[in-house]
């Protein structure tokens, strides 16, 4: 594919401004290495479910939370390295996801599980009002 000069720089700025998911859908750039995810808000937690088939060493998947954003990074291994592929729709290789959560979460109580090719991450929400602190006014 013949890309214009500074495409990568412009592409990165568009991702940051529009969001990774939207940019991938519009541009087709990176959409193949973007595992599909569901983000669910329950009464007291955010649940993120991501399809990651074929990962033998789930400990190699890096999951981080910064502020109200979840970052997931890893590699889906190639199962059929020596064979000729007729059709290739399943992604293999490295992937990254950046998922805005929309609410503050308690990182220390977050947990993840992996079963049958599906990664589930549960992030407890910060209770309403728990991030506020009353400031006393002194009368110097």
């Amino acid at each position: 594919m013949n890309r214009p000069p500074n495409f990568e720089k412009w592409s990165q700025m568009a991702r940051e401004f529009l969001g990774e998911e939207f940019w991938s859908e519009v541009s087709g750039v990176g959409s193949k290495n973007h595992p599909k995810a569901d983000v669910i808000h329950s009464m007291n937690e955010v649940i993120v479910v991501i399809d990651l088939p074929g990962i033998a060493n789930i400990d190699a998947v890096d999951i981080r939370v910064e502020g109200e954003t979840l970052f997931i990074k890893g590699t889906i291994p190639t199962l059929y390295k020596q064979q000729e592929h007729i059709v290739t729709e399943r992604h293999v290789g490295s992937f990254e996801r950046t998922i805005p959560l929309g609410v503050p979460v308690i990182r220390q109580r977050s947990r993840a599980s992996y079963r049958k090719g599906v990664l589930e991450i549960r992030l407890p929400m910060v209770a309403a009002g728990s991030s506020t602190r009353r400031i006393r006014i002194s009368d110097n």
Side-chain angles (χ1 to χ4, degrees):
M1 176 187 263
N2 194 8
R3 294 184 172 156
N6 296 325
F7 177 82
E8 292 304 320
K9 182 178 178 182
W10 183 86
S11 173
Q12 181 60 37
M13 289 184 344
R15 278 189 196 94
E16 290 171 8
F17 181 75
L18 299 172
E20 189 71 39
E21 189 72 35
F22 180 82
W23 175 246
S24 292
E25 291 294 328
V26 170
S27 68
V29 174
S31 59
K32 192 171 181 181
N33 67 349
H34 231 83
K36 300 296 181 195
D38 292 337
V39 180
I40 301 113
H41 281 218
S42 73
M43 292 295 286
N44 56 0
E45 68 183 349
V46 178
I47 304 166
V48 179
V49 182
I50 301 175
D51 291 334
L52 294 176
I55 296 180
N57 183 9
I58 196 63
D59 292 331
V61 175
D62 181 35
I63 304 170
R64 293 182 293 117
V65 177
E66 291 179 16
E68 295 180 10
T69 305
L70 177 67
F71 298 93
I72 305 160
K73 185 177 177 177
T75 302
I76 297 173
T78 302
L79 300 176
Y80 305 98
K81 295 177 186 177
Q82 304 302 320
Q83 289 79 16
E84 178 183 351
H85 289 76
I86 307 302
V87 176
T88 304
E89 292 181 353
R90 298 176 63 230
H91 171 70
V92 294
S94 63
F95 67 87
E96 288 187 44
R97 282 301 308 254
T98 301
I99 300 172
L101 301 171
V103 295
V105 295
I106 305 169
R107 292 181 293 217
Q108 298 82 355
R109 291 186 33 220
S110 300
R111 61 193 187 284
S113 61
Y114 182 73
R115 186 169 179 235
K116 295 185 178 182
V118 178
L119 176 65
E120 180 183 272
I121 305 165
R122 292 181 170 264
L123 306 127
M125 287 188 234
V126 172
S130 66
S131 62
T132 60
R133 181 177 152 256
R134 188 162 196 272
I135 300 172
R136 294 196 165 272
I137 302 170
S138 62
D139 57 342
N140 293 356

